[in-house]
Amino acid sequence: MSFLSGMFGGSSEPIEKEPSASAELFNSTTFRSNVQPSSSSSSSASSSSSSSIPQPPIDQPAVPTQTAPTALDAFGTAFDPARLHPLAGLSENLELLQLDEDKLNDIEGSASVLPSRGWTDDLCVGTGTTYLSGLLIGGMWGAKEGLSRPLGNNPSMKLRINSILNGCTRRGSFTGNSLGVLAIFYNLANSSLDSIRGRHDTYNVLGAAALSGAIFKSTAGVRPALVGASIMTAAAGAWSAFKNTV
Amino acid sequence: MSHGDHSRDPCPYVILNDFGGAFAMGAIGGGIWHGIKGARNSPRGERFVGSMSAIKARAPVLGGNFGVWGGLFSTFDCAVKGYRQKEDPWNAIISGFLTGGSLALRAGPRSAFGSAVGCGILLGVFEGVGVLMNRMFAQPIPQMQLPEQAPASPSPAVA
């Protein structure tokens, strides 16, 4: 917030009146967006005409409500470029400091469980979810392996725990790393396809899955790459069908 | 800073984000690093193969190390925030201490404590540098309203 005020104060320096500069700036912009200058001039003309022709009960309440915008609007149009310029220059930098709902991903059809703020967010959350689930699954696999490993006759508790932990770290890290790398490939391909095609649908998911599976197995040869691509496509298709039915 | 961080998800979900971000950073950075290293360490003519095998062998492991560290740190950070109901540099220091300790837990309590203290000090240095930078760049704000100090405004944006 301190950076925000600093940047704001630094770039709004063409305005001479310092203390009320920001308040007037926001007022002028909101009034400009709401009320067009043509309508305000016509309303002022109509108010002058209504003062000559007596129609009090209809026009009199309309005149005071319109006078405040017209006065500020006429005042704002005189200073208009100088006032609007700092905000116009800041519009990209402001989002960096406070991006809530308006900076969300706007590619159509890409709404998911968590709101996303673009492809880096997708990448992080998708990779994190996949990596964590891979760690959990691999950890359970390793724990089962460590539980059932023969340790000679009459093994102590410490030895058994050590075996379980060894299994967890071996299988868990292997599964988590593989799935995490796969998820990185998938999310990169998915976001690239999204931005290329401009929307997000099932074909995109399937294409990204095929691409990531092929890349993941690409060093093993052509046949494993094709097998990997088809496995990933099938998995992504099953997931999409599951998501559509739910 | 006073309102927390609106650019990130609320606390339980940010753990996933940090896990993934740290893993991706480690894996991609490790891919670049070990790609160059593997290519330099292989004989001429086999540079690409050596680079590829180095990437395949080491980049996911580095990503996993980064990811576990970042995810554990984020988990502890959320837990500490929830327990203390505050946001200040001590959160990061405490969670760095806990992260270092729990990652070295299997090597024994002495080693775990040493690693925890090391991680806590590292995070303390990071947070101290952050606080110092913040203070350094936050100081000239009352004077930044003057028109002469306009070039001072881009530097906080970079930091």
Side-chain angles (χ1 to χ4, degrees):
Chain A
M1 285 310 288
S2 55
F3 293 163
L4 171 64
S5 59
M7 279 196 304
F8 193 74
S11 53
S12 67
E13 24 99 5
I15 306 169
E16 275 76 15
K17 289 168 289 197
E18 276 307 314
S20 67
S22 58
E24 283 186 7
L25 199 131
F26 282 120
N27 282 340
S28 68
T29 48
T30 48
F31 279 129
R32 275 192 60 75
S33 63
N34 284 337
V35 180
Q36 278 79 20
S38 61
S39 70
S40 66
S41 62
S42 69
S43 70
S44 62
S46 73
S47 68
S48 63
S49 67
S50 71
S51 62
S52 62
I53 302 170
Q55 289 174 344
I58 304 155
D59 269 350
Q60 206 113 40
V63 170
T65 53
Q66 287 280 353
T67 42
T70 45
L72 257 176
D73 196 39
F75 189 58
T77 45
F79 287 88
D80 201 16
R83 295 241 160 138
L84 273 181
H85 176 253
L87 265 189
L90 266 180
S91 63
E92 285 93 4
N93 292 335
L94 273 176
E95 289 169 351
L96 203 152
L97 290 159
Q98 203 163 38
L99 79 170
D100 285 345
E101 308 293 333
D102 49 353
K103 192 69 192 309
L104 298 181
N105 201 356
D106 51 355
I107 291 177
E108 66 165 291
S110 65
S112 76
V113 185
L114 284 174
S116 157
R117 295 184 192 85
W119 67 275
T120 47
D121 226 32
D122 274 338
L123 178 69
C124 288
V125 173
T127 309
T129 314
T130 321
Y131 177 61
L132 202 55
S133 48
L135 266 187
L136 288 179
I137 292 169
M140 284 193 285
W141 177 22
K144 191 169 88 47
E145 214 175 62
L147 268 175
S148 60
R149 170 174 299 186
L151 290 177
N153 45 0
N154 198 8
S156 66
M157 193 64 195
K158 200 169 178 179
L159 211 57
R160 179 58 72 189
I161 288 176
N162 190 42
S163 162
I164 291 173
L165 286 178
N166 275 339
C168 282
T169 45
R170 197 175 60 168
R171 299 298 183 193
S173 58
F174 170 71
T175 320
N177 291 344
S178 305
L179 282 183
V181 170
L182 197 57
I184 288 180
F185 288 149
Y186 172 75
N187 279 304
L188 285 180
N190 199 5
S191 301
S192 310
L193 284 179
D194 277 2
S195 67
I196 287 170
R197 296 185 60 216
R199 62 203 174 121
H200 182 89
D201 53 9
T202 310
Y203 299 115
N204 236 335
V205 170
L206 294 182
L211 208 57
S212 56
I215 292 174
F216 187 71
K217 291 304 263 178
S218 63
T219 51
V222 178
R223 263 181 69 88
L226 287 180
V227 171
S230 50
I231 288 175
M232 276 296 288
T233 313
W239 171 248
S240 295
F242 173 73
K243 212 162 62 173
N244 284 337
T245 52
V246 169
Chain B
M1 314 292 159
S2 55
H3 295 273
D5 215 351
H6 287 285
S7 63
R8 291 160 70 75
D9 288 324
C11 217
Y13 306 107
V14 85
I15 296 173
L16 281 182
N17 204 322
D18 278 347
F19 249 113
F23 181 83
M25 193 164 63
I28 295 173
I32 296 169
W33 174 267
H34 285 295
I36 294 171
K37 200 176 156 194
R40 283 171 59 91
N41 283 341
S42 3
R44 188 188 301 268
E46 305 224 338
R47 296 216 187 271
F48 185 70
V49 181
S51 161
M52 271 298 149
S53 68
I55 288 175
K56 278 201 305 182
R58 305 224 172 85
V61 177
L62 193 63
N65 290 346
F66 266 67
V68 164
W69 203 96
L72 212 53
F73 178 78
S74 181
T75 313
F76 278 127
D77 199 33
C78 278
V80 169
K81 266 182 211 163
Y83 179 72
R84 298 181 65 217
Q85 298 288 324
K86 286 187 198 178
E87 288 206 26
D88 57 0
W90 286 105
N91 277 343
I93 295 173
I94 292 169
S95 42
F97 181 86
L98 292 173
T99 308
S102 53
L103 280 182
L105 205 56
R106 288 194 71 189
R110 260 183 78 91
S111 166
F113 185 74
S115 169
V117 170
C119 266
I121 288 174
L122 183 71
L123 262 297
V125 168
F126 282 172
E127 289 295 318
V129 168
V131 167
L132 277 185
M133 298 271 271
N134 207 350
R135 198 165 289 173
M136 221 161 64
F137 287 126
Q139 195 65 30
I141 276 182
Q143 296 132 25
M144 247 202 281
Q145 306 276 343
L146 296 175
E148 292 92 57
Q149 301 210 345
S153 57
S155 50
V158 173

